[in-house]
Amino acid sequence: MVSSISFDDLTLDCIMQSAAAVRDAAFGINQTWSPKVFIPLTHLCRDLCHYCTFSRPRPGQRAYMSPEDVLDVARAGAAAGCTEALFTLGDKPELRFAQARRELAEFGYVTTLDYLEAMCQLVISQTGLIPHVNAGVMEAKDIARLRAVSASQGLMLETVANRLGDKGGPHYRSPDKVPAKRLATIRAAGELKVPFTTGILIGIGETRAERIEALLAIQDLHAEFGHIAEVIIQNFRAKPGTPMSGAVEPDMDDLLWTIAAARLTLPPDISVQAPPNLADAIFPRLMDAGINDWGGISPVTPDHVNPECPWPAVEKLFAATEAAGRRLVARLPVYPGWAGAEWQDAAILPLLAANSDAEGYARADAWSPGLPLPAQPEPARGMSSPHIARLIDRAQSGDSLNEDEIVALFAARSSDVEHVCAGADALRRTTRGDEISFVVNRNINYTNICAYACGFCAFSKGRGADSLRGRPYDLDLSEVTRRAHEAVARGGTEVCMQGGIHPAYTGDTYLQLLRAVKSAEPGLHIHAFSPLEVRHGADTLGLSLEDYLTRLKEAGLDSLPGTAAEILDDDVRDVICPDKLNTAEWLETVEAAHRVGLKTTATIMFGHVDTPRHWARHLIRVRDLQARTGGITEFVPLPFVPMEAPMTLRGIARRGPTFREVRLMHAVARLALHPHITSIQTSWVKLGREGVAACLNGGANDIGGTLMDESISRAAGAAHGQEMPPCEMEELICGLDRQPRQRTTLYEDVDDLTRTRGHHAVPLTPVVLTPPKKIKQKEMIDVE
């Protein structure tokens, strides 16, 4: 930030270049906008601003939109992909207009703010749009009640020049335009932790020094409360029929100077916005002065404040932004830094979670993992950003990317996404060739009873889990061995055995499972037990990890799934699985397995309350572990399936990763883990055939197992089935012009006889879900 004095001796080009540099340092190349519907709840206002056509009585028209009118507009916006419902209205019209008082009484309300509060709640409940309210000068009690039905609020400061309210000035007879009143409202919002939009209106008679004074007043309030999310630099446009219809409008140079001065005056965390529709065809120049946000733009409604100036089409906005070397990113009504519990009412947080991506911007799609993938838009074309191109080159050369560099790859947007995926796929081709491997295996989840209460899990049954899918079960060993026999008969080379942490299980339980399967099928590879199960078994027997893992190996364990990793960052684990093993314990357990000669996989379960920085830390911890031990066979991204997950139902989690984030996870994993882990697997259970095809063309080389019995993702709401037979695997792979390869768990070849059995497998016999013992006993008592 610099003072106004330092602007005097600088050319406009110099100021603009400095402002753009400050903007780039704070916001990178993201240029945000908010997809919105404009809901002018009332056009009446008690103020008489000399430049305004918004707040004028309209003979023969109602003073307020009806609830039905509000919903019609909101629903049209929701159908068009908007996330913001912008409520704009005049100040306290009921104090001036009898018509306003009559209509409010008809609706059952006393004040305009009463009605606004109700309409915000109506829009939320009926459409899921997120309100932003521009309700004028308000007292703290009104700001507080609107906080419960909106994500952010706004009030243009406009100016701090009191003289503009004198007779003949633009604010004459406008009691709500007194600067002190407007500053008091902005202050009250800060005291109440309300994310706030404000700004200045230029060209209404103020001087440049007064503009800077207004910006400094905003800066001071932000320094005290930290609540100013954006500042709008709005240029006056003369409107016919107003007292200022003949006034001279500020020219483009004056607007650019003010934008640049604002960017250099305000703290770097405040976004600077200028409406593109008020700059006509030369609106792209606004970016040169340092704006990072275009504001709200509607595909449905006009700009009711400036109806003579239509918003540019989003396609035009996109093209202009890309031409400037920036990336157009849709945001929510509230910026990412103000979307957390500190700033939001508990009723608003689930709305934000449901509509946001991992960086806190607006979701780019309505898809969730586990659901069919809709048709995807054409890939964005264009050059890669220089920084992204350098990171891809370094990763392909084997350099270890640091946390910030991995975060930058995850932040790729538009054409940069395509370059990251293409770079990862080129590295895949170099390291793994054109083969796509898979294993014929069977999942055996031996119990869904679990003492833990992980927020993402809809599979486990425990206290408070009765509403989740499925009844509790605890398989008899005879059912486990029956499934193992059937797996071998159907060409399986592996059983993957995992289950809930049954409170009655001990380390001996897991040993018994291994011995039973090995006795039944000695040649079958047993891939079993998460690090959590291993620790549980060791603890119940009072053994060290290495001693217990050695016993498991001697009993027939061949390798371990690297599940229960979720996100290897305890800030996330404290939210999604607070009673589960922590990051250090997971790493300790997997490393101990490697020391005793057991290979493992490594997973990441992403797309809930995590961020790209958490993903980067996870990848680095896995990479460092592999560099020490070399014991990880593959890395497996597991997108969070949200539909039935408890933390989704409680409104805590996002709706899984976006498809862009899914693609980037596989691609960035390929780049960031190179050269330590060279096999990247993609999950057909989570993504379906179209989803895995995209990931296989973006860095992945393995499609995992045929599974035979998939139950965990299905319990969370996934709809991609419980088995993908070898013939379907091969059909998918050949459709990508790649070579299928059936492998073993440890990536060895499979003999022809086994492969033939897999291709001619008979249908599965229905499974038996053995009820837990106490349930069996209760049923016997009931029968008696």
Side-chain angles (χ1 to χ4, degrees):
M1 295 178 292
V2 297
S3 70
S4 60
I5 299 174
S6 62
F7 299 144
D8 294 342
D9 300 324
L10 299 175
T11 66
L12 177 59
D13 283 345
C14 183
I15 296 173
M16 290 171 60
Q17 289 172 11
S18 298
V22 170
R23 182 267 320 275
D24 292 347
F27 297 97
I29 62 173
N30 284 349
Q31 188 77 20
T32 50
W33 70 292
S34 178
K36 74 175 182 184
V37 286
F38 199 130
I39 302 177
L41 193 62
T42 179
H43 282 276
L44 299 185
C45 181
R46 73 167 178 169
D47 297 318
L48 296 171
C49 300
H50 290 194
Y51 46 78
C52 182
T53 59
F54 174 78
S55 59
R56 284 198 167 189
R58 289 163 170 79
Q61 293 186 10
R62 291 187 63 86
Y64 294 89
M65 296 176 70
S66 69
E68 293 75 20
D69 294 336
V70 169
L71 279 181
D72 284 346
V73 173
R75 284 171 174 151
C82 298
T83 52
E84 174 181 350
L86 170 63
F87 282 89
T88 295
L89 51 150
D91 257 283
K92 308 173 187 66
E94 67 273 18
L95 299 182
R96 178 181 169 194
F97 297 98
Q99 180 188 0
R101 293 190 292 273
R102 284 196 303 271
E103 289 190 21
L104 286 172
E106 289 174 13
F107 289 141
Y109 301 97
V110 175
T111 70
T112 299
L113 295 182
D114 294 339
Y115 187 46
L116 171 63
E117 180 184 12
M119 291 303 97
C120 286
Q121 185 58 57
L122 181 68
V123 166
I124 289 172
S125 65
Q126 296 299 310
T127 71
L129 292 183
I130 306 168
H132 169 90
V133 295
N134 292 336
V137 170
M138 291 185 287
E139 297 179 359
K141 63 181 178 62
D142 294 316
I143 297 172
R145 61 174 168 148
L146 290 176
R147 185 181 189 271
V149 292
S150 65
S152 56
Q153 299 180 38
L155 177 70
M156 292 287 285
L157 174 57
E158 296 196 9
T159 184
V160 291
N162 286 299
R163 61 184 179 81
L164 298 184
D166 295 342
K167 188 173 183 179
H171 290 157
Y172 179 58
R173 296 176 64 197
S174 299
D176 298 298
K177 291 302 174 82
V178 175
K181 290 183 178 181
R182 299 178 86 78
L183 288 168
T185 297
I186 300 171
R187 168 176 285 278
E191 291 170 344
L192 291 167
K193 291 287 188 181
V194 173
F196 212 77
T197 294
T198 188
I200 61 174
L201 179 61
I202 71 168
I204 58 173
E206 81 294 342
T207 66
R208 282 187 170 181
E210 287 169 333
R211 295 176 195 172
I212 299 299
E213 187 180 349
L215 292 170
L216 291 173
I218 294 169
Q219 172 194 298
D220 289 345
L221 286 169
H222 183 70
E224 187 171 358
F225 301 109
H227 68 308
I228 306 296
E230 66 180 345
V231 168
I232 303 171
I233 309 302
Q234 183 167 331
N235 49 313
F236 158 72
R237 295 295 297 260
K239 295 176 174 60
T242 66
M244 293 182 67
S245 61
V248 177
E249 297 176 348
D251 62 20
M252 178 55 74
D253 282 357
D254 197 18
L255 176 59
L256 294 173
W257 182 92
T258 308
I259 292 170
R263 180 66 284 163
L264 294 172
T265 300
L266 295 168
D269 61 329
I270 293 179
S271 287
V272 174
Q273 175 196 127
N277 57 318
L278 302 188
D280 300 323
I282 55 176
F283 74 86
R285 288 199 65 197
L286 302 176
M287 288 182 285
D288 298 336
I291 68 165
N292 64 284
D293 186 79
W294 290 119
I297 293 176
S298 179
V300 176
T301 51
D303 181 350
H304 288 279
V305 175
N306 299 282
E308 77 284 1
C309 299
W311 282 303
V314 175
E315 295 77 12
K316 187 175 182 180
L317 200 69
F318 175 83
T321 304
E322 290 279 321
R326 300 181 63 72
R327 299 290 182 257
L328 187 65
V329 181
R331 62 168 173 85
L332 299 176
V334 65
Y335 287 82
W338 289 268
E342 177 186 3
W343 294 99
Q344 296 297 329
D345 187 86
I348 299 299
L349 286 171
L351 278 175
L352 297 175
N355 286 282
S356 67
D357 68 12
E359 294 180 88
Y361 296 116
R363 288 185 73 87
D365 54 46
W367 170 83
S368 290
L371 299 178
L373 183 69
Q376 295 298 295
E378 285 294 314
R381 308 293 181 187
M383 296 292 291
S384 174
S385 304
H387 182 52
I388 294 294
R390 286 193 295 270
L391 292 178
I392 294 170
D393 288 343
R394 286 190 50 226
Q396 290 175 332
S397 299
D399 291 350
S400 291
L401 302 182
N402 64 32
E403 184 178 310
D404 288 340
E405 291 167 336
I406 296 172
V407 169
L409 290 177
F410 279 126
R413 304 266 174 174
S414 188
S415 57
D416 282 336
V417 175
E418 306 308 321
H419 286 284
V420 171
C421 291
D425 208 44
L427 182 58
R428 181 272 305 163
R429 194 174 298 109
T430 299
T431 57
R432 303 291 299 200
D434 280 335
E435 286 186 344
I436 296 176
S437 52
F438 65 92
V439 61
V440 178
N441 67 347
R442 182 167 199 170
N443 275 8
I444 302 178
N445 302 122
Y446 35 79
T447 184
N448 64 352
I449 299 169
C450 189
Y452 291 82
C454 299
F456 53 84
C457 183
F459 168 75
S460 69
K461 302 294 293 186
R463 290 180 181 174
D466 289 341
S467 63
L468 303 182
R469 293 186 177 193
R471 299 189 66 184
Y473 67 83
D474 183 11
L475 297 186
D476 285 336
L477 287 180
S478 61
E479 173 64 10
V480 173
T481 57
R482 186 197 68 77
R483 295 189 195 185
H485 284 308
E486 189 174 36
V488 171
R490 301 179 85 248
T493 58
E494 170 200 305
V495 285
C496 179
M497 298 199 303
Q498 296 181 92
I501 305 300
H502 193 302
Y505 278 19
T506 70
D508 284 331
T509 309
Y510 303 119
L511 293 169
Q512 290 168 10
L513 282 163
L514 291 171
R515 291 171 185 139
V517 172
K518 274 299 178 184
S519 175
E521 292 290 349
L524 187 61
H525 184 107
I526 302 179
H527 184 66
F529 311 139
S530 70
L532 179 61
E533 290 169 289
V534 170
R535 294 189 78 90
H536 176 71
D539 289 345
T540 57
L541 297 182
L543 296 173
S544 69
L545 284 172
E546 286 196 31
D547 286 346
Y548 184 59
L549 283 160
T550 299
R551 288 196 188 184
L552 292 173
K553 185 178 179 183
E554 291 170 348
L557 182 63
D558 296 300
S559 61
L560 276 77
T563 50
E566 325 315 352
I567 296 293
L568 293 176
D569 188 288
D570 288 338
D571 287 344
V572 175
R573 301 180 80 83
D574 287 346
V575 176
I576 68 172
C577 50
D579 54 350
K580 206 168 185 176
L581 77 175
N582 61 31
T583 296
E585 289 168 339
W586 188 93
L587 292 167
E588 178 190 32
T589 307
V590 174
E591 188 160 1
H594 296 168
R595 281 198 301 269
V596 304
L598 289 168
K599 297 287 188 181
T600 74
T601 62
T603 62
I604 183 171
M605 194 275 295
F606 66 103
H608 33 82
V609 303
D610 46 346
T611 68
R613 189 158 297 279
H614 298 127
W615 303 344
R617 292 171 183 168
H618 184 108
L619 290 176
I620 289 171
R621 285 164 178 152
V622 169
R623 183 181 67 195
D624 291 347
L625 172 62
Q626 179 73 342
R628 292 194 302 271
T629 69
I632 298 172
T633 55
E634 71 243 29
F635 183 73
V636 188
L638 299 173
F640 169 57
V641 177
M643 284 73 77
E644 301 289 339
M647 64 184 180
T648 305
L649 301 178
R650 294 199 302 269
I652 296 171
R654 301 191 302 278
R655 291 186 288 114
T658 65
F659 192 59
R660 166 189 153 269
E661 291 165 350
V662 167
R663 293 180 64 204
L664 283 173
M665 178 59 74
H666 291 79
V668 174
R670 167 67 64 190
L671 295 167
L673 298 176
H674 177 69
H676 302 287
I677 298 176
T678 63
S679 186
I680 307 297
Q681 185 179 117
T682 184
S683 171
W684 63 265
V685 172
K686 318 282 188 183
L687 302 178
R689 288 159 174 76
E690 294 81 5
V692 297
C695 294
L696 289 166
N697 283 329
N701 64 283
D702 188 85
I703 200 171
T706 58
L707 300 185
M708 299 189 200
D709 290 308
E710 199 294 313
S711 55
I712 294 176
S713 294
R714 283 189 298 126
H720 295 305
Q722 60 179 333
E723 180 178 25
M724 185 184 286
C727 57
E728 293 184 23
M729 292 263 191
E730 292 173 356
E731 180 184 11
L732 171 62
I733 294 165
C734 291
L736 300 174
D737 291 327
R738 303 265 284 278
Q739 289 80 52
R741 175 181 175 248
Q742 184 177 336
R743 62 169 175 86
T744 67
T745 309
L746 300 180
Y747 288 80
E748 296 168 347
D749 292 329
V750 175
D751 64 79
D752 290 341
L753 178 60
T754 301
R755 291 182 65 254
T756 300
R757 284 203 303 268
H759 280 76
H760 296 88
V762 299
L764 285 165
T765 303
V767 297
V768 176
L769 297 179
T770 316
K773 290 184 174 59
K774 72 174 183 179
I775 291 181
K776 289 181 197 172
Q777 292 168 355
K778 181 179 184 301
E779 289 175 348
M780 290 175 64
I781 293 171
D782 290 343
V783 170
E784 293 173 356

